[in-house]
Amino acid sequence: MSRASPWTPANLQPDCREDKKRRLPQGHTGEVNSSRSAHEDLDDMFASLSIDSVLAQENSGERPKDRKRKSCQENAGNLTNALPDDVLENMFASLSIDSRVTSTASMRSGKGSFIILDDNILAGGNSDCTTTSTDSRRPRSEVFIERVNDLLLRHVGTRVRVFEIRFDLNSTHAAHLDKWVQFASEAGAQDVKLSLCKNTTSCPEHFVTANRYNFPLHCFGDGRQRSSMRKLDLTNCIFTPPPDSGAFSSLVCLYLVRVTITDSGIQNICSCCPILRHLRLARCDNLVNVRISHEVLICLDIFRCKKLVSVEIHATCLLIFEYDGREVHINYASTPSMRFLVNKFGHQNGYLSDGVEGMKRIRKITLTFLWPSEKPSYTLYAIKFTAIQFINLFILPSWNNVRGVAYLVKATPYLKRLRLEARSGDHHYRDDVQVSWPEGISLKRLRFITVGGFAAQAPLVELLVCMVHAGARSRRTYLQIDPHHHLCKGLGRWVREDVGDKPARDRVREAARETLRSRLPPSVKLVIK
């Protein structure tokens, strides 16, 4: 960094480096989360996947350290495609977890310090920041800024790996935030996170829209020099990346939550972040028509951007795409490597578009059947999707919806696992309704059916009976019934909700035994949780 550090004190003494330990707070240091090392390994893996493509463009000679790193990355470009599906899924699940390090100070590690600036600074547990009786009468933000400034002053010259700010700040505090971000840049921080909200939740929209902090891109170079940052996580900020900049060429993961960014800003990200692997856009309400064009992007997550109309994806290495929000047009223009697809429309039924036909490696999908459509478009499933082996469905168990599910499983003849999460329990079993199922359903490989939120709904019962009879009777099939509702945490990771009336769940279990056990083939094992 060419500019002088804003943190160099005027009266710095020559012997200030005699004891570096004095720069580290000795008070409230907290404990580093045990998962941090796993996150470091994942970040290192992501950084190595295609960093060689960036190094190859550099004209300068390689240092011995660079040659060693490059030798370990020689064949990393195809690493993710060679991984088993379960390993790949767990890897991304771990990477997306929002790890918390409850420390306001920093902890030493072999790769640098962790600096976490949050509410703990105000708790008075840090011995370097003296607590006075007047602090309680001052604004929280004023006390926080003063203590952060004091803490960072003691860290001048310290190598930093993780730098996080989690506090309710906005554009009125820009002068201080700019200095802190520049400190992170000059300290070589690889993981930078700004969560500028209160108590880890988003501030009121009318407030943050007018007062969001504009992330200072200039702190990471003028475009000719790459920064060391590999992961950037912003909440309640403004992010305006330039069309051509080398400042973020080392960025591997980018998470934007309630961030003000435009459609052109997303295209600029794709052009100036050549080794970006994971992109998350959550509640970015200025996005309308998003076009993602990236050669090495692996995971794309778009979550509840309320003005979004369309998404177009050109990403030949993309393995995972998760969408959750209003119904939009999604064009899978070029996604031949896709393995996992999550498409959760909030108030409409999900569907498989024609683009899925070109995904020769697609194995797992998550869709919604949450709208009791009177005339479902069964023609959407006229094509056979032979690669799909796992299906997760949120379903409102109306008769038309369960027929739609039947046509979906007919289009996926190699299905191995099916999970249904019923979102309504007010449809009780009746035996006076007849429904015609699609002909030619063959589920010879279906071995596991799991149903959450089961309440003996008549349409759902009939659908289960239809599917188990369509499977091969010579091999064991497991049907698991659970009256509890579940939440999907992404990529098919389900968490049980232990709410509701226990006697009512007991009645559902008894109804499941009465309505299902006698109608199942001998090859089906019924498990009621």
Side-chain angles (χ1 to χ4, degrees):
M1 192 68 64
S2 60
R3 60 178 59 85
S5 171
W7 293 99
T8 304
N11 58 347
L12 184 65
Q13 299 297 323
D15 60 346
C16 67
R17 293 186 297 175
E18 288 181 358
D19 186 4
K20 292 185 178 180
K21 292 183 179 180
R22 293 181 181 177
R23 297 174 183 167
L24 298 177
Q26 302 298 322
H28 176 76
T29 58
E31 296 293 334
V32 177
N33 191 310
S34 60
S35 65
R36 173 63 68 176
S37 60
H39 284 264
E40 293 176 4
D41 294 339
L42 286 172
D43 286 345
D44 290 341
M45 174 184 172
F46 271 100
S48 66
L49 288 176
S50 61
I51 190 71
D52 52 338
S53 63
V54 176
L55 295 176
Q57 297 175 4
E58 297 182 352
N59 297 323
S60 60
E62 291 182 340
R63 295 172 296 177
K65 188 175 182 180
D66 293 334
R67 288 196 297 270
K68 181 179 179 181
R69 183 179 184 184
K70 187 174 181 179
S71 64
C72 297
Q73 299 162 349
E74 185 175 359
N75 297 317
N78 296 322
L79 177 60
T80 52
N81 282 333
L83 289 174
D85 288 330
D86 55 345
V87 174
L88 180 66
E89 185 173 341
N90 290 334
M91 181 186 72
F92 275 98
S94 299
L95 184 66
S96 62
I97 293 175
D98 183 17
S99 60
R100 300 288 181 183
V101 183
T102 57
S103 172
T104 60
S106 69
M107 295 291 292
R108 283 285 188 183
S109 72
K111 298 181 180 180
S113 302
F114 301 158
I115 297 182
I116 315 297
L117 309 173
D118 58 15
D119 278 325
N120 289 323
I121 282 186
L122 304 180
N126 190 345
S127 61
D128 290 295
C129 298
T130 305
T131 303
T132 65
S133 59
T134 59
D135 285 346
S136 60
R137 298 190 294 269
R138 298 164 60 196
R140 291 177 71 255
S141 60
E142 183 178 320
V143 178
F144 180 81
I145 290 172
E146 179 180 300
R147 296 192 177 186
V148 169
N149 286 337
D150 181 72
L151 186 147
L152 295 185
L153 184 62
R154 297 173 181 271
H155 282 73
V156 172
T158 302
R159 177 177 171 81
V160 176
R161 176 179 174 83
V162 176
F163 183 86
E164 296 188 12
I165 303 173
R166 300 198 296 260
F167 201 79
D168 184 13
L169 299 173
N170 52 56
S171 61
T172 61
H173 313 102
H176 298 283
L177 287 166
D178 285 351
K179 289 195 299 183
W180 301 346
V181 172
Q182 185 167 336
F183 169 87
S185 176
E186 295 179 349
Q190 299 181 17
D191 187 339
V192 177
K193 178 175 181 178
L194 272 69
S195 183
L196 305 184
C197 48
K198 187 176 181 179
N199 298 327
T200 70
T201 60
S202 296
C203 304
E205 292 188 20
H206 70 277
F207 178 78
V208 298
T209 300
N211 295 278
R212 283 179 177 167
Y213 168 64
N214 196 341
F215 186 77
L217 301 174
H218 63 274
C219 291
F220 293 89
D222 54 5
R224 293 186 296 270
Q225 180 182 3
R226 286 193 296 117
S227 72
S228 59
M229 184 170 56
R230 294 194 292 178
K231 180 179 178 181
L232 178 61
D233 189 335
L234 300 178
T235 301
N236 281 342
C237 296
I238 299 174
F239 189 59
T240 312
D244 297 309
S245 174
F248 296 99
S249 59
S250 294
L251 202 62
V252 177
C253 300
L254 177 61
Y255 304 152
L256 304 179
V257 181
R258 288 196 182 276
V259 168
T260 301
I261 187 171
T262 63
D263 298 340
S264 59
I266 299 299
Q267 296 185 32
N268 292 343
I269 289 173
C270 294
S271 63
C272 68
C273 304
I275 63 170
L276 188 66
R277 290 289 177 166
H278 193 175
L279 175 61
R280 175 178 301 155
L281 306 172
R283 301 185 185 275
C284 298
D285 295 336
N286 291 74
L287 298 179
V288 180
N289 297 295
V290 173
R291 186 179 188 274
I292 305 293
S293 180
H294 203 283
E295 293 182 357
V296 299
L297 188 67
I298 291 178
C299 184
L300 175 62
D301 180 4
I302 301 178
F303 179 80
R304 298 187 182 179
C305 301
K306 65 181 183 180
K307 294 182 181 179
L308 195 63
V309 174
S310 67
V311 179
E312 182 178 339
I313 307 174
H314 301 262
T316 56
C317 292
L318 191 67
L319 302 181
I320 300 173
F321 174 58
E322 294 192 60
Y323 177 82
D324 188 343
R326 55 180 293 177
E327 182 179 12
V328 300
H329 175 70
I330 302 176
N331 180 11
Y332 305 100
S334 178
T335 55
S337 302
M338 187 88 75
R339 290 196 196 179
F340 309 116
L341 174 64
V342 179
N343 190 345
K344 294 191 292 184
F345 289 156
H347 302 288
Q348 295 291 333
N349 288 344
Y351 57 87
L352 290 176
S353 68
D354 294 338
V356 179
E357 183 184 6
M359 302 177 191
K360 303 301 182 182
R361 300 170 61 89
I362 188 75
R363 291 173 61 83
K364 177 180 288 188
I365 61 171
T366 300
L367 299 175
T368 55
F369 282 76
L370 299 178
W371 189 258
S373 175
E374 295 297 330
K375 296 181 180 179
S377 301
Y378 298 143
T379 56
L380 290 173
Y381 311 123
I383 303 172
K384 297 291 184 182
F385 302 99
T386 57
I388 295 177
Q389 300 181 13
F390 307 91
I391 296 180
N392 301 310
L393 296 176
F394 291 91
I395 180 171
L396 179 66
S398 67
W399 288 104
N400 280 327
N401 280 356
V402 299
R403 288 191 67 200
V405 174
Y407 276 87
L408 175 60
V409 297
K410 179 182 177 180
T412 55
Y414 293 98
L415 185 64
K416 292 182 179 180
R417 293 175 179 264
L418 173 66
R419 182 184 183 99
L420 302 174
E421 182 65 26
R423 307 308 297 173
S424 174
D426 55 0
H427 294 32
H428 297 287
Y429 180 79
R430 305 193 315 271
D431 57 3
D432 58 348
V433 177
Q434 299 294 327
V435 60
S436 59
W437 302 104
E439 298 180 357
I441 299 180
S442 177
L443 300 173
K444 295 182 179 180
R445 300 192 181 186
L446 184 61
R447 292 293 171 265
F448 298 94
I449 303 175
T450 302
V451 183
F454 184 82
Q457 305 97 325
L460 196 53
V461 169
E462 297 299 329
L463 174 65
L464 296 175
V465 173
C466 171
M467 287 192 298
V468 296
H469 281 278
R473 301 191 181 190
S474 59
R475 299 179 62 182
R476 175 72 73 179
T477 301
Y478 295 88
L479 173 59
Q480 179 175 288
I481 301 297
D482 191 346
H484 290 85
H485 289 284
H486 300 74
L487 295 176
C488 181
K489 295 299 183 180
L491 296 179
R493 303 187 305 277
W494 298 85
V495 178
R496 173 190 278 192
E497 288 187 292
D498 194 13
V499 296
D501 187 4
K502 185 178 182 300
R505 290 197 295 266
D506 292 337
R507 291 192 295 269
V508 168
R509 294 185 180 97
E510 185 61 30
R513 296 185 184 94
E514 294 178 358
T515 58
L516 283 173
R517 194 179 297 277
S518 62
R519 304 182 62 185
L520 300 179
S523 59
V524 177
K525 179 177 179 58
L526 179 63
V527 179
I528 301 177
K529 300 192 73 174

